[in-house]
Structures are given as C-alpha cells and as structure tokens.
Amino acid sequence: MRSDVKRRHARWAGVALITGLAIAGCGSTDDKGAESDEPVKATHCGTGQGTTMELRATNDFPNPTAYVIQLYWFNGEGRQVEMGQMTTDAIQPGKSLTFNVTGRRPGDATVRTCEVKVLGAE
C-alpha cells in the first residue's frame, strides 16, 4: 500500500515539474516571434507637436487589406491619457505601410508609451 502512495506522489511530482517547465517557457518577454505576428505595431511614441505615434502595418492576406485599429497613449504612471480609433489605408498583399498619427495632448500629460490593438481587417 505504501509503495502505491509513493508512486502516485512521484508521478504527481513529475507532472507538476513538466507543467511548471511548460508554463515557464510560454509568454516569455524574450519571445520575439509573437511580436512579429501582429499586423500593426507602434514603432515610435512621442510628444513632439502633441501626442504622436509612428505605426507600421503589414498585409499578410492575399487581397488588399485595411485594418481597424485602436490607439492608446499612456503617461509615466501608466494611466491612459489619449485613445483613438482609425482605419488604415488599404495595403497591397505582402506590403507594409508606415505612417504617423497625431492625437490631442490633454493638459500637461507627458506621454511615455503607446499601444495599438487591431480590432479587425476590412
């Protein structure tokens, strides 16, 4: 009876070890592959003449495609200070488009980071 209990504990310890290693390998910040899967990326974020963001959109679809995107600007404390939504121009298959977006600058908020979320493709 005791050997059965020991075997079960050893088996669960092995399962826990394998699961822990699998989880540790997922979502690593060094994983550049996941980053390249996004069709629209913010390549620059700044506060020149207002809040600005440089974007690069790539079309991996077989037809000309435009993306509906949501834009976010955050201050040094991580609070959202600006948000907008837009649709890119149609991009030819296999091509990329780089463009700048300028938003309002609410008060004296200093923009530190920018993010983009793709809502859909048209």
Side-chain angles (χ1 to χ4, degrees), residues 25-40:
C26 295
S28 168
T29 56
D30 296 332
D31 185 8
K32 301 295 182 199
E35 192 175 294
S36 65
D37 290 342
E38 293 299 321
V40 180

Side-chain angles (χ1 to χ4, degrees), residues 9 12 29 33 39 44 55 61 63 76 83 87 96 99 108 117 120:
H9 286 174
W12 285 114
T29 56
H44 177 74
L55 300 172
F61 294 108
N63 297 314
M83 183 183 117
T87 302
S96 293
F99 57 96
D108 61 347
K117 180 178 180 182

Side-chain angles (χ1 to χ4, degrees), residues 44-54 73 101-103 105 110-114:
H44 177 74
C45 183
T47 56
Q49 299 292 325
T51 55
T52 61
M53 189 185 310
E54 181 181 86
W73 286 268
V101 177
T102 302
R105 186 166 180 186
T110 303
V111 172
R112 299 282 185 204
T113 59
C114 298

Side-chain angles (χ1 to χ4, degrees), residues 74-111:
F74 299 92
N75 66 13
E77 289 83 43
R79 291 188 174 178
Q80 182 180 317
V81 295
E82 179 78 30
M83 183 183 117
Q85 185 173 325
M86 66 170 289
T87 302
T88 68
D89 292 335
I91 306 166
Q92 294 301 314
K95 301 290 183 182
S96 293
L97 176 67
T98 301
F99 57 96
N100 291 313
V101 177
T102 302
R104 299 181 318 264
R105 186 166 180 186
D108 61 347
T110 303
V111 172

